[in-house]
Amino acid sequence: MIVVCPACQARFQYDDSRFGELRIKRFKCPKCEEVFEVANPAFPGQVPGGTPAPMPADQPTPPAPGQTARTTAKRDRESMLVAAGLQVAGMPPGLKFSLAFLSGPQASTVQVLEQPLTVIGREEGDVITRDPETSRQHAQLEIRRDGTVWISDQQSTNGTLVNGERISGPVQLSSQQEFTCGNSTFMLLIRNTDEYSLN
C-alpha cells in the first residue's frame, strides 16, 4: 500500500501485511517527521463499538512553549519501527546487514544478520557453518548503534582471519570485506535501506 503524509504529502510504500492483527498503526514521516495514524486496510473504519483506537501509553508529552519536539525524533522513530516489526531493538536504522558464504560447506548462500550480536560456529550460534575446521563457537560479529561492524575471535582452534591475518582482538569490518573461519570464507554486506521512501 502507499501511505501519504497528511502534512507534507510525501508518499512511501508499506507492506500492509505488517499490520498483522492491528487495526491502526502510527507512522512518522521521514521527511517532515509528522506523526499520523493509518488504518489497516483489512479493518477499515473504527474499532468495534465505534470508538477510535487508543493511543499508546508511552506517547511523549507535548513540548513546552518555545521548545521543539525534534529532540527525541530519532528515539521515537526507532520505537515506532521496532513496534511495527520493521527493526530490531539495538540495530542501527536504515541499514541491512548480511553474510555471504564464499567458500565452505555453505558456499553460495547468504544469511541476513538480524541481531546486534551474531555468533558464527560449526554447530552452535546464529550462523552455522557445518565446517569441521570451524570451532563450535568460532567468532562473534557485533553490529553497533553507529552502523559499524566488529568481529572478534572466540578462542577458536584455527583462528579468525581478516585480510589473511589472524586477529587477536576486535577488528572493524567494512562492507564487502572478507574474513575466514576455518575453511569458510565470508563477505560482509551492508546496504542502506529505507522502507518508507519511494524516492
Side-chain angles (χ1 to χ4, degrees):
M1 67 183 290
I2 303 298
V3 176
V4 180
C5 172
C8 71
Q9 305 303 310
R11 297 162 59 87
F12 55 95
Q13 192 166 9
Y14 184 75
D15 182 358
D16 54 2
S17 67
R18 293 188 175 185
F19 275 93
E21 298 299 318
L22 296 177
R23 292 181 178 269
I24 293 178
K25 275 201 174 180
R26 293 172 56 90
F27 292 84
K28 179 179 281 188
C29 177
K31 290 190 176 180
C32 72
E33 297 185 350
E34 172 76 12
V35 177
F36 58 97
E37 293 182 343
V38 176
N40 185 340
F43 301 99
Q46 296 178 322
V47 295
T51 58
M55 298 291 282
D58 60 351
Q59 178 71 10
T61 56
Q67 292 183 339
T68 175
R70 293 176 183 261
T71 54
T72 58
K74 288 185 179 179
R75 185 188 69 201
D76 293 344
R77 183 170 193 264
E78 179 182 356
S79 298
M80 181 189 72
L81 292 173
V82 170
L86 300 178
Q87 182 181 329
V88 176
M91 292 288 279
L95 296 174
K96 183 173 182 179
F97 302 85
S98 304
L99 272 188
F101 288 75
L102 302 181
S103 66
Q106 304 280 52
S108 301
T109 62
V110 175
Q111 184 164 339
V112 176
L113 306 179
E114 299 178 333
Q115 301 293 334
L117 293 177
T118 300
V119 174
I120 301 170
R122 179 180 70 242
E123 53 197 35
E124 292 181 10
D126 307 295
V127 176
I128 306 300
T129 66
R130 305 193 195 291
D131 177 358
E133 297 300 314
T134 301
S135 295
R136 188 178 313 174
Q137 292 189 4
H138 195 102
Q140 177 176 275
L141 290 173
E142 179 186 2
I143 300 172
R144 297 185 180 174
R145 293 285 302 140
D146 61 3
T148 60
V149 180
W150 296 76
I151 187 168
S152 57
D153 187 74
Q154 299 296 292
Q155 299 181 341
S156 65
T157 302
N158 294 321
T160 300
L161 306 180
V162 177
N163 297 327
E165 296 183 5
R166 186 167 181 161
I167 63 174
S168 58
V171 173
Q172 184 175 351
L173 298 174
S174 58
S175 185
Q176 300 185 20
Q177 187 168 6
E178 298 178 14
F179 63 92
T180 303
C181 299
N183 286 330
S184 297
T185 299
F186 305 85
M187 177 185 287
L188 174 67
L189 303 172
I190 306 173
R191 72 178 177 90
N192 291 317
T193 177
D194 189 343
E195 295 191 25
Y196 296 108
S197 177
L198 295 178
N199 299 335

mmCIF file of all heavy atoms in Angstrom, residues 62-68:
data_model
loop_
_atom_site.group_PDB
_atom_site.id
_atom_site.type_symbol
_atom_site.label_atom_id
_atom_site.label_comp_id
_atom_site.label_asym_id
_atom_site.label_seq_id
_atom_site.Cartn_x
_atom_site.Cartn_y
_atom_site.Cartn_z
ATOM 1 N N PRO A 62 3.742 16.674 24.974
ATOM 2 C CA PRO A 62 3.992 17.769 24.035
ATOM 3 C C PRO A 62 5.087 18.686 24.559
ATOM 4 O O PRO A 62 5.259 18.832 25.770
ATOM 5 C CB PRO A 62 2.639 18.504 23.986
ATOM 6 C CG PRO A 62 1.645 17.540 24.534
ATOM 7 C CD PRO A 62 2.389 16.655 25.477
ATOM 8 N N PRO A 63 5.842 19.305 23.641
ATOM 9 C CA PRO A 63 6.915 20.199 24.091
ATOM 10 C C PRO A 63 6.355 21.468 24.720
ATOM 11 O O PRO A 63 5.259 21.908 24.392
ATOM 12 C CB PRO A 63 7.665 20.517 22.792
ATOM 13 C CG PRO A 63 6.651 20.311 21.710
ATOM 14 C CD PRO A 63 5.764 19.202 22.193
ATOM 15 N N ALA A 64 7.128 22.024 25.636
ATOM 16 C CA ALA A 64 6.752 23.283 26.262
ATOM 17 C C ALA A 64 6.869 24.403 25.231
ATOM 18 O O ALA A 64 7.588 24.267 24.236
ATOM 19 C CB ALA A 64 7.661 23.558 27.458
ATOM 20 N N PRO A 65 6.180 25.515 25.442
ATOM 21 C CA PRO A 65 6.280 26.633 24.501
ATOM 22 C C PRO A 65 7.735 27.045 24.292
ATOM 23 O O PRO A 65 8.497 27.174 25.247
ATOM 24 C CB PRO A 65 5.466 27.754 25.181
ATOM 25 C CG PRO A 65 4.514 27.022 26.075
ATOM 26 C CD PRO A 65 5.247 25.788 26.530
ATOM 27 N N GLY A 66 8.095 27.229 23.036
ATOM 28 C CA GLY A 66 9.467 27.618 22.713
ATOM 29 C C GLY A 66 10.414 26.457 22.530
ATOM 30 O O GLY A 66 11.546 26.636 22.116
ATOM 31 N N GLN A 67 9.966 25.230 22.833
ATOM 32 C CA GLN A 67 10.811 24.058 22.639
ATOM 33 C C GLN A 67 10.346 23.301 21.413
ATOM 34 O O GLN A 67 9.220 23.459 20.956
ATOM 35 C CB GLN A 67 10.751 23.138 23.857
ATOM 36 C CG GLN A 67 11.395 23.720 25.098
ATOM 37 C CD GLN A 67 11.373 22.738 26.244
ATOM 38 O OE1 GLN A 67 10.570 21.812 26.264
ATOM 39 N NE2 GLN A 67 12.244 22.933 27.199
ATOM 40 N N THR A 68 11.208 22.463 20.895
ATOM 41 C CA THR A 68 10.870 21.671 19.716
ATOM 42 C C THR A 68 10.770 20.209 20.089
ATOM 43 O O THR A 68 11.470 19.723 20.967
ATOM 44 C CB THR A 68 11.920 21.859 18.598
ATOM 45 O OG1 THR A 68 11.602 20.983 17.523
ATOM 46 C CG2 THR A 68 13.331 21.537 19.093
#
